[in-house]
Amino acid sequence: MRRLIATKEAARPVALADVAQPVPEPDEALVKVEAFAPNRGETFLVERPAPGWLPGKDIAGLVVQAAADGSGPGIGTRVVGHPAHSGWAEYAAVPTHSLTPLPDGIDTAQAAALPLAGITALRLLRTAPCPAGQRVLLTGASGGVGHYVTELAVGAGAEVTAVTATPVRGERLTQLGARVVHDVADAEGPFDVVLESTGGPVLPAALSRTRPGGTLVWFGQASRTPATLDFFDLLNGPERVTIQHFHYAGAPYGPDLAALVRLVAQGRLHPEIDRVADWSQAARTLVDLRERRVRGKAVLLTGGTAR
């Protein structure tokens, strides 16, 4: 079978290679991958891949071999999955606890755009105080996570202000019900909840717009610039603010995938997909993701039947 492997070349970070088909563990199903969605974080991992690491966490396709232990979906079931790695391939072995079936109304490209960003959004909003009636500030909002957080939070009754680099990157967020600004300095606080994913100077600026007793959840550092907090600035800022670190990871993922699929099927969640392309275009797509030339998600098709 074919698989994308890291090349360590900045301009062409991955290439197709012929490799052996994976052999599933007893609790894994073998999935014929029809579509996968790279994440921006993976573009950085590809730059310096750990020994033996193979990229790919967001996939959708067809079960061609059920798990030997009898768990999970049977042969012929359309599924979306979130393996720990190795998903950028024609076939992937996926733990059944991290798979969920797809209804006919959700196509493969939509499904592939759900896992990491969608699970992050769900778990992030569970970590933050209940969004109903809350004023929420979301930085770095124009990626996949930001679109899901915005739609879910607005749907739950929050008043969302989203920070994006440009008006174009904020267009869909406005349609989803957010107030869009292009600098944290323009965000009219104070905010009950701040969801911060940029790092660098944005974090202290966002913190200063949190209400006394509010919460800042720090879930990323997309700028790749470390953040510095000055204690004396904190003294002069809002009092008793809680700063909480967040990372989405932790299997099982199946229940959250099922929740996301249900929300899409009900028309309450809409994957924002900026690009769908053949996986022969993977290198260019990864570079564009890394350089923030993709709004929302990019999905790559392996040549299977994407419905």
Side-chain angles (χ1 to χ4, degrees):
M1 73 166 195
R2 294 183 300 167
R3 173 189 300 286
L4 286 171
I5 60 171
T7 64
K8 301 183 182 180
E9 299 174 15
R12 184 175 172 267
V14 291
L16 285 167
D18 291 318
V19 299
Q21 186 171 296
V23 177
E25 296 294 329
D27 64 345
E28 294 180 332
L30 185 65
V31 177
K32 179 175 174 55
V33 179
E34 297 176 354
F36 62 86
N39 296 284
R40 188 166 182 260
E42 290 174 300
T43 70
F44 304 134
L45 294 176
V46 166
E47 292 176 0
R48 298 180 182 85
W53 174 77
L54 294 168
K57 296 176 71 68
D58 292 3
I59 70 163
L62 192 72
V63 174
V64 294
Q65 180 180 325
D69 68 359
S71 65
I75 294 175
T77 305
R78 297 175 62 241
V79 293
V80 57
H82 191 52
H85 50 73
S86 306
W88 298 356
E90 289 182 303
Y91 294 89
V94 186
T96 56
H97 60 58
S98 294
L99 285 171
T100 201
L102 288 174
D104 290 338
I106 299 179
D107 67 39
T108 307
Q110 281 182 303
L114 286 173
L116 189 149
I119 294 168
T120 299
L122 280 180
R123 294 183 175 185
L124 186 62
L125 289 172
R126 291 179 191 141
T127 300
C130 176
Q134 301 279 310
R135 301 192 71 204
V136 176
L137 175 65
L138 173 65
T139 68
S142 60
V145 175
H147 283 85
Y148 288 136
V149 166
T150 297
E151 188 165 15
L152 291 170
V154 170
E159 179 184 328
V160 177
T161 296
V163 183
T164 70
T166 65
V168 170
R169 294 183 69 83
E171 286 176 355
R172 178 60 178 155
L173 295 167
T174 300
Q175 294 170 6
L176 292 173
R179 179 176 185 267
V180 175
V181 298
H182 309 300
D183 192 304
V184 174
D186 297 325
E188 296 180 4
F191 295 93
D192 302 292
V193 178
V194 174
L195 306 175
E196 210 295 281
S197 66
T198 303
V202 173
L203 190 146
L207 181 62
S208 71
R209 280 156 179 76
T210 310
R211 69 163 174 80
T215 301
L216 182 146
V217 182
W218 188 11
F219 70 100
Q221 192 163 287
S223 67
R224 307 187 81 183
T225 303
T228 300
L229 296 178
D230 187 311
F231 180 78
F232 296 103
D233 287 341
L234 292 178
L235 280 179
N236 294 321
E239 296 181 352
R240 306 181 314 282
V241 170
T242 298
I243 301 175
Q244 185 170 350
H245 164 261
F246 170 87
H247 181 43
Y248 90 100
Y253 298 109
D256 284 341
L257 287 173
L260 292 165
V261 167
R262 183 174 64 253
L263 288 167
V264 174
Q266 293 171 347
R268 297 166 60 191
L269 188 66
H270 301 82
E272 179 65 17
I273 301 174
D274 191 39
R275 179 182 305 177
V276 177
D278 185 82
W279 69 333
S280 61
Q281 302 300 310
R284 180 173 67 87
T285 299
L286 291 182
V287 171
D288 287 345
L289 272 173
R290 185 184 68 207
E291 301 303 322
R292 291 192 168 279
R293 292 194 284 264
V294 175
R295 181 182 63 184
K297 300 292 295 180
V299 176
L300 297 173
L301 308 179
T302 65
T305 302
R307 292 190 289 143

